[in-house]
Amino acid sequence: MAGSRQHIVVIGAGILGASIAYHLARRGARVTLLDRGPPAGEATGASFAWINASFRNPKPYYDLRMVGLQEYRRLEAELAGRLVVTWGGGLNWDLEEAEIDPLVRQHAAWGYDLRIVGRDEIRSLEPKLAAPPERAIFSACEGALAPVAATEALLAVAADLGVEVRIGDEVSDFLVNQGRVIGLETTGGSLEADYVVLAAGVASAGFAARLGFELPLQSSPGLLVHSRPMPPLLGRVVESPGLHMKQDPDGRLVAGTSFGGGPVPNDPEAEGQRLIDRIKAALSGTERLEMERVTLGLRPIPEDGLPAIGPAPGLEGLYLAVMHSGITLAPAVGRFAAMELLDGAEVELLSPFRPDRFAA
Ligand SMILES: Cc1cc2nc3c(=O)[nH]c(=O)nc-3n(C[C@H](O)[C@H](O)[C@H](O)COP(=O)(O)OP(=O)(O)OC[C@H]3O[C@@H](n4cnc5c(N)ncnc54)[C@H](O)[C@@H]3O)c2cc1C
């Protein structure tokens, strides 16, 4: 896939499309980025945006997420203050008692920076917790960010590097010639491309079906509440039974009930208010806490739970980037995708995650 001034069109201005566009432009490619809605208007804007590599993942996926964590340090340096990550770590006591020791042993053997901490240390890490548990897992290497701000930062730097960002431009079809994608039909007209990157989140499955290959997604919904800004209360991601929460750099507390998804709530506002009440019970200093908004997003999760990254099966000129944990993985996926598209490299770390695994 080599060539230096080829025209690459990226579909989707979520965090993955923004990161891929940025990394391509940083390497000198000519890039157009399209989105039908506002940047980060779908999964990214509804994301909890915890940067982590922890728990219940197969080793290759853990390895990729670890690289994601490390790549954030590089990206922060490159974006020179425009990307803000809160590196407070994660404090977790939302696990079955019997799970804790085996998970800690396994992740410690893999080199993950985690350990069990007792009540006194939990209290000193998070003094506002009303009822610190007897013990929790503290993963010091984890972080979190505000996903809309992070995406906007990537887009701004990408635009500085020459990326044409077309917001409000919807892709309606692909132009295909002799088994190769050569461009797109969009509401703004038709567009020629040497390569197209499909980073359209949950909408990617529909495009795949139209192009004749399988990309089965689970797409589970997730609701979060965002409070009005508060003074500093929480320094890290906290996962307790039925409540995970963090505080963004702008002071807003963000909380949800489960990382696993569930049914779409009948009344999202009422669910948001219930979450605000739970935060008030969990943290002191929150008497004046108020809900600002709720977000409800679909997680773009390939059917087997693992990312789908790489060339589309059976079609030239199309590269896919569809995954959950897209916040954690964005810097790594952006850089690796640019290497694969521009250098013809095949990044070995990505080999378990190729989209052709879904081919019949
Ligand atoms: C509730 C929730 C919690 C999450 N928590 C975490 C977490 O803690 N950590 C983590 O790492 N990940 C988390 N995730 C997952 C993460 O947010 C996603 O993996 C990531 O945001 C996906 O980014 P994306 O750019 O692929 O997709 P999206 O953000 O969905 O972007 C896709 C873009 O494509 C555009 N698009 C679609 N169709 C078209 C079209 N026809 N024409 C033009 N544009 C189009 C859309 O408008 C959209 O902006 C969470 C997700 C949710 C919903």
Coordinates of all heavy atoms in Angstrom, one line a residue, residues 11-18 34-52 169-172 199-204 207 220-224 259 296-300 321-329, ligand 1:
I11 N -13.7 8.0 6.7 CA -15.1 8.2 7.0 C -15.3 8.1 8.5 O -15.0 7.0 9.1 CB -16.0 7.1 6.3 CG1 -15.7 7.1 4.8 CG2 -17.5 7.4 6.6 CD1 -16.5 5.9 4.1
G12 N -15.7 9.2 9.1 CA -16.0 9.2 10.6 C -15.0 10.1 11.3 O -13.8 9.9 11.3
A13 N -15.6 11.1 12.0 CA -14.8 12.0 12.8 C -15.1 11.7 14.3 O -15.2 12.6 15.1 CB -15.1 13.5 12.5
G14 N -15.1 10.4 14.6 CA -15.0 10.0 16.0 C -13.5 10.0 16.4 O -12.7 10.4 15.6
I15 N -13.2 9.4 17.6 CA -11.8 9.5 18.0 C -10.9 8.7 17.1 O -9.7 9.0 16.8 CB -11.6 9.1 19.5 CG1 -10.2 9.6 19.9 CG2 -11.8 7.6 19.7 CD1 -10.1 9.8 21.4
L16 N -11.4 7.6 16.5 CA -10.6 6.7 15.7 C -10.3 7.4 14.3 O -9.2 7.4 13.9 CB -11.2 5.3 15.5 CG -11.1 4.5 16.7 CD1 -12.0 3.2 16.6 CD2 -9.6 4.0 16.9
G17 N -11.4 7.9 13.7 CA -11.1 8.6 12.4 C -10.2 9.8 12.6 O -9.3 10.1 11.8
A18 N -10.5 10.5 13.7 CA -9.6 11.7 13.9 C -8.2 11.3 14.1 O -7.3 12.0 13.6 CB -10.2 12.5 15.1
L34 N -14.4 12.9 6.5 CA -15.8 13.2 6.4 C -16.6 12.8 7.6 O -16.4 11.7 8.1 CB -16.5 12.5 5.2 CG -15.8 12.5 3.8 CD1 -16.5 11.6 2.9 CD2 -15.9 14.0 3.3
D35 N -17.6 13.6 8.0 CA -18.6 13.1 9.0 C -19.9 13.7 8.7 O -20.0 14.9 8.4 CB -18.1 13.4 10.4 CG -18.8 12.5 11.4 OD1 -20.1 12.5 11.5 OD2 -18.1 11.7 12.1
R36 N -20.9 12.9 8.9 CA -22.3 13.3 8.6 C -22.8 14.2 9.7 O -23.7 15.1 9.6 CB -23.3 12.2 8.4 CG -23.4 11.3 9.7 CD -24.2 10.1 9.4 NE -24.2 9.2 10.6 CZ -24.7 8.0 10.6 NH1 -25.3 7.5 9.5 NH2 -24.7 7.2 11.7
G37 N -22.2 14.1 10.9 CA -22.7 14.8 12.1 C -21.5 15.6 12.7 O -20.5 15.8 12.0
P38 N -21.7 16.1 13.9 CA -20.6 16.8 14.5 C -19.5 15.9 14.9 O -19.8 14.7 15.1 CB -21.2 17.4 15.8 CG -22.4 16.6 16.0 CD -22.9 16.1 14.7
P39 N -18.3 16.3 15.1 CA -17.2 15.4 15.5 C -17.5 14.8 16.9 O -18.2 15.5 17.7 CB -16.0 16.4 15.7 CG -16.3 17.6 14.8 CD -17.8 17.7 14.8
A40 N -17.2 13.6 17.0 CA -17.5 12.8 18.3 C -18.9 12.8 18.6 O -19.3 12.7 19.8 CB -16.7 13.4 19.4
G41 N -19.8 12.9 17.6 CA -21.2 12.9 17.8 C -21.9 11.6 18.1 O -23.1 11.5 18.4
E42 N -21.2 10.5 18.0 CA -21.8 9.2 18.2 C -21.1 8.5 19.4 O -21.0 9.0 20.5 CB -21.9 8.4 16.9 CG -22.7 9.1 15.9 CD -23.3 8.3 14.8 OE1 -23.1 7.1 14.7 OE2 -24.0 8.9 13.9
A43 N -20.5 7.3 19.2 CA -19.9 6.5 20.3 C -18.9 7.4 21.1 O -18.9 7.3 22.4 CB -19.3 5.2 19.8
T44 N -18.1 8.1 20.4 CA -17.0 8.8 21.1 C -17.6 9.8 22.1 O -17.1 9.8 23.3 CB -16.1 9.5 20.1 OG1 -15.5 8.5 19.3 CG2 -15.0 10.3 20.8
G45 N -18.5 10.6 21.7 CA -19.1 11.6 22.6 C -19.9 11.0 23.8 O -20.1 11.7 24.8
A46 N -20.3 9.7 23.6 CA -21.0 9.0 24.7 C -20.2 8.1 25.5 O -20.7 7.4 26.3 CB -22.2 8.2 24.0
S47 N -18.9 8.2 25.3 CA -17.9 7.3 26.0 C -17.5 7.7 27.4 O -17.3 8.9 27.7 CB -16.7 7.2 25.1 OG -15.8 6.2 25.6
F48 N -17.3 6.7 28.2 CA -16.7 7.0 29.5 C -15.2 7.4 29.4 O -14.7 8.1 30.3 CB -16.9 5.7 30.4 CG -16.5 5.9 31.8 CD1 -17.3 6.8 32.6 CD2 -15.5 5.3 32.4 CE1 -16.9 7.0 34.0 CE2 -15.1 5.4 33.7 CZ -15.9 6.3 34.5
A49 N -14.6 6.9 28.4 CA -13.2 7.3 28.0 C -12.2 7.0 29.1 O -11.4 7.9 29.5 CB -13.2 8.8 27.7
W50 N -12.2 5.8 29.6 CA -11.2 5.3 30.6 C -10.2 4.6 29.7 O -10.5 3.8 28.9 CB -12.0 4.3 31.5 CG -11.1 3.5 32.4 CD1 -9.9 3.8 33.0 CD2 -11.5 2.2 32.9 NE1 -9.5 2.8 33.8 CE2 -10.5 1.8 33.7 CE3 -12.6 1.3 32.7 CZ2 -10.5 0.5 34.4 CZ3 -12.6 0.1 33.3 CH2 -11.6 -0.3 34.1
I51 N -8.9 5.0 30.0 CA -7.8 4.4 29.2 C -7.2 3.3 30.0 O -6.6 3.6 31.1 CB -6.8 5.6 28.9 CG1 -7.4 6.7 28.1 CG2 -5.5 5.0 28.2 CD1 -6.6 7.9 28.0
N52 N -7.4 2.1 29.6 CA -6.9 1.0 30.5 C -6.7 -0.3 29.6 O -7.1 -0.4 28.5 CB -8.0 0.7 31.5 CG -9.2 0.0 30.9 OD1 -9.3 -1.2 30.8 ND2 -10.1 0.7 30.3
D169 N -21.1 16.1 6.0 CA -21.0 15.5 4.6 C -21.2 14.0 4.9 O -20.4 13.3 5.5 CB -19.6 15.8 4.0 CG -19.6 15.6 2.5 OD1 -20.7 15.2 2.0 OD2 -18.6 15.9 1.9
E170 N -22.3 13.5 4.4 CA -22.7 12.1 4.6 C -22.3 11.2 3.4 O -22.7 11.5 2.3 CB -24.2 12.0 4.9 CG -24.6 10.5 5.1 CD -26.0 10.4 5.8 OE1 -26.6 11.4 6.0 OE2 -26.3 9.3 6.2
V171 N -21.7 10.1 3.7 CA -21.3 9.2 2.7 C -22.5 8.3 2.4 O -23.1 7.7 3.3 CB -20.2 8.2 3.1 CG1 -19.9 7.2 2.1 CG2 -18.9 9.1 3.4
S172 N -22.9 8.3 1.1 CA -24.1 7.5 0.8 C -23.7 6.2 0.0 O -24.4 5.2 0.1 CB -25.1 8.3 -0.1 OG -24.4 8.8 -1.2
A199 N -14.1 4.3 9.4 CA -14.1 4.4 10.8 C -15.4 5.0 11.2 O -15.5 6.0 12.0 CB -12.9 5.3 11.3
A200 N -16.5 4.4 10.8 CA -17.8 4.9 10.9 C -18.6 4.3 12.1 O -19.8 4.4 12.2 CB -18.6 4.8 9.6
G201 N -17.8 3.7 13.0 CA -18.5 3.1 14.2 C -19.5 2.1 13.9 O -19.4 1.3 13.0
V202 N -20.7 2.2 14.6 CA -21.7 1.2 14.3 C -22.3 1.2 12.9 O -22.8 0.2 12.4 CB -22.9 1.4 15.3 CG1 -22.5 1.1 16.8 CG2 -23.5 2.7 15.3
A203 N -22.1 2.3 12.2 CA -22.6 2.4 10.8 C -21.8 1.6 9.9 O -22.2 1.3 8.7 CB -22.7 3.9 10.3
S204 N -20.6 1.2 10.3 CA -19.7 0.4 9.5 C -20.2 -0.9 9.0 O -20.0 -1.4 7.9 CB -18.3 0.2 10.2 OG -17.8 1.4 10.6
F207 N -22.3 -0.6 5.8 CA -21.5 -0.4 4.7 C -20.9 -1.7 4.3 O -20.8 -2.1 3.1 CB -20.4 0.6 4.9 CG -20.9 2.1 4.8 CD1 -20.7 2.9 5.9 CD2 -21.5 2.5 3.7 CE1 -21.1 4.2 5.8 CE2 -22.0 3.8 3.6 CZ -21.8 4.7 4.7
S220 N -23.8 -2.6 21.8 CA -24.6 -2.5 23.0 C -24.7 -1.0 23.5 O -23.7 -0.3 23.4 CB -24.0 -3.4 24.1 OG -22.9 -2.7 24.7
P221 N -25.9 -0.7 24.0 CA -26.1 0.7 24.4 C -25.5 1.0 25.8 O -25.3 0.1 26.6 CB -27.6 0.9 24.5 CG -28.1 -0.5 24.8 CD -27.1 -1.4 24.2
G222 N -25.1 2.3 26.0 CA -24.5 2.7 27.3 C -24.9 4.1 27.7 O -24.8 5.0 26.8
L223 N -25.4 4.3 28.9 CA -25.9 5.6 29.3 C -24.9 6.2 30.4 O -24.5 5.4 31.3 CB -27.3 5.5 29.9 CG -27.9 6.8 30.5 CD1 -29.4 6.9 30.2 CD2 -27.7 6.9 32.0
L224 N -24.6 7.4 30.2 CA -23.8 8.1 31.2 C -24.4 9.4 31.7 O -25.1 10.0 30.8 CB -22.4 8.4 30.7 CG -21.5 7.3 30.2 CD1 -20.2 7.8 29.6 CD2 -21.1 6.4 31.4
F259 N -20.2 -1.5 32.7 CA -19.4 -1.4 31.5 C -19.9 -2.4 30.5 O -19.5 -2.4 29.3 CB -17.9 -1.7 31.8 CG -17.2 -0.5 32.4 CD1 -16.9 -0.5 33.7 CD2 -16.9 0.6 31.6 CE1 -16.3 0.6 34.3 CE2 -16.3 1.7 32.1 CZ -16.0 1.7 33.5
L296 N -26.3 8.8 25.6 CA -26.7 7.4 25.4 C -26.1 7.1 24.1 O -26.4 7.7 23.0 CB -28.2 7.3 25.3 CG -28.8 6.0 25.2 CD1 -28.5 5.1 26.3 CD2 -30.4 6.1 25.1
G297 N -25.1 6.1 24.1 CA -24.4 5.8 22.8 C -24.4 4.3 22.6 O -24.6 3.5 23.6
L298 N -24.2 3.9 21.4 CA -24.0 2.5 21.1 C -22.5 2.2 21.0 O -21.8 2.9 20.2 CB -24.7 2.2 19.7 CG -26.2 2.2 19.7 CD1 -26.7 2.0 18.3 CD2 -26.7 1.1 20.6
R299 N -22.1 1.1 21.7 CA -20.7 0.7 21.6 C -20.5 -0.1 20.3 O -21.2 -1.1 20.1 CB -20.3 -0.2 22.7 CG -20.5 0.5 24.1 CD -20.3 -0.6 25.2 NE -20.3 0.0 26.5 CZ -21.3 0.1 27.3 NH1 -22.5 -0.3 26.9 NH2 -21.2 0.6 28.5
P300 N -19.5 0.3 19.4 CA -19.3 -0.4 18.2 C -18.4 -1.7 18.5 O -17.2 -1.6 18.4 CB -18.6 0.6 17.3 CG -18.1 1.6 18.2 CD -18.7 1.5 19.5
A321 N -11.5 0.3 10.6 CA -11.1 0.5 12.0 C -12.3 0.6 12.8 O -12.9 1.7 12.9 CB -10.2 1.8 12.1
V322 N -12.8 -0.5 13.3 CA -14.1 -0.5 14.1 C -13.8 -1.3 15.4 O -13.4 -2.5 15.3 CB -15.2 -1.2 13.2 CG1 -16.5 -1.2 14.0 CG2 -15.3 -0.5 11.9
M323 N -14.1 -0.7 16.5 CA -13.8 -1.4 17.7 C -14.4 -0.7 19.0 O -14.7 0.5 18.9 CB -12.3 -1.5 17.9 CG -11.6 -0.2 18.2 SD -9.9 -0.1 17.6 CE -10.0 -0.2 15.9
H324 N -14.6 -1.5 20.0 CA -14.8 -1.0 21.4 C -13.4 -0.7 21.9 O -12.4 -1.0 21.3 CB -15.5 -2.0 22.2 CG -15.9 -1.5 23.6 ND1 -16.6 -0.3 23.7 CD2 -15.7 -1.9 24.8 CE1 -16.8 -0.1 25.0 NE2 -16.2 -1.0 25.7
S325 N -13.4 0.0 23.1 CA -12.1 0.4 23.6 C -11.4 1.3 22.6 O -10.1 1.4 22.6 CB -11.2 -0.7 24.0 OG -11.7 -1.3 25.2
G326 N -12.1 2.0 21.8 CA -11.5 2.8 20.8 C -10.9 4.1 21.4 O -10.0 4.7 20.7
I327 N -11.3 4.4 22.6 CA -10.6 5.6 23.2 C -9.2 5.1 23.6 O -8.2 5.7 23.2 CB -11.4 6.0 24.5 CG1 -12.8 6.4 24.2 CG2 -10.6 7.2 25.2 CD1 -13.0 7.6 23.4
T328 N -9.1 4.0 24.3 CA -7.8 3.5 24.7 C -6.9 3.2 23.5 O -5.7 3.5 23.6 CB -8.0 2.1 25.5 OG1 -8.8 2.4 26.6 CG2 -6.7 1.5 25.9
L329 N -7.5 2.7 22.4 CA -6.7 2.3 21.3 C -6.4 3.4 20.3 O -5.5 3.2 19.4 CB -7.4 1.1 20.6 CG -7.5 -0.2 21.5 CD1 -8.4 -1.2 20.8 CD2 -6.1 -0.8 21.8
Ligands
LIG1 C1 -21.2 4.2 27.1 C2 -19.8 3.9 26.4 C3 -18.7 3.8 27.3 C4 -17.5 3.5 26.7 N1 -16.4 3.4 27.5 C5 -15.2 3.3 27.0 C6 -14.0 3.4 27.8 O1 -14.1 3.6 29.0 N2 -12.8 3.2 27.3 C7 -12.7 3.0 25.9 O2 -11.5 2.8 25.5 N3 -13.7 2.9 25.1 C8 -15.0 3.1 25.6 N4 -16.1 3.0 24.8 C9 -15.9 2.7 23.4 C10 -15.4 3.9 22.6 O3 -16.1 5.0 22.9 C11 -15.5 3.6 21.1 O4 -14.8 2.4 20.8 C12 -15.0 4.7 20.3 O5 -15.5 5.9 20.7 C13 -15.3 4.4 18.8 O6 -14.8 5.5 18.1 P1 -15.1 5.6 16.5 O7 -14.4 6.8 16.1 O8 -14.8 4.3 15.9 O9 -16.7 5.7 16.4 P2 -17.7 6.9 16.6 O10 -17.3 7.8 17.6 O11 -19.1 6.3 16.6 O12 -17.5 7.7 15.2 C14 -18.0 7.2 14.0 C15 -18.4 8.5 13.2 O13 -18.8 8.0 11.9 C16 -19.8 8.9 11.4 N5 -20.5 8.3 10.3 C17 -21.3 7.2 10.4 N6 -21.8 7.0 9.2 C18 -21.5 8.0 8.4 C19 -21.7 8.3 7.0 N7 -22.5 7.5 6.3 N8 -21.2 9.4 6.5 C20 -20.3 10.2 7.2 N9 -20.1 9.9 8.5 C21 -20.6 8.8 9.1 C22 -20.6 9.2 12.7 O14 -21.4 10.4 12.5 C23 -19.6 9.2 13.8 O15 -19.2 10.5 14.1 C24 -17.3 3.3 25.3 C25 -18.4 3.5 24.5 C26 -19.7 3.8 25.0 C27 -20.9 4.0 24.1

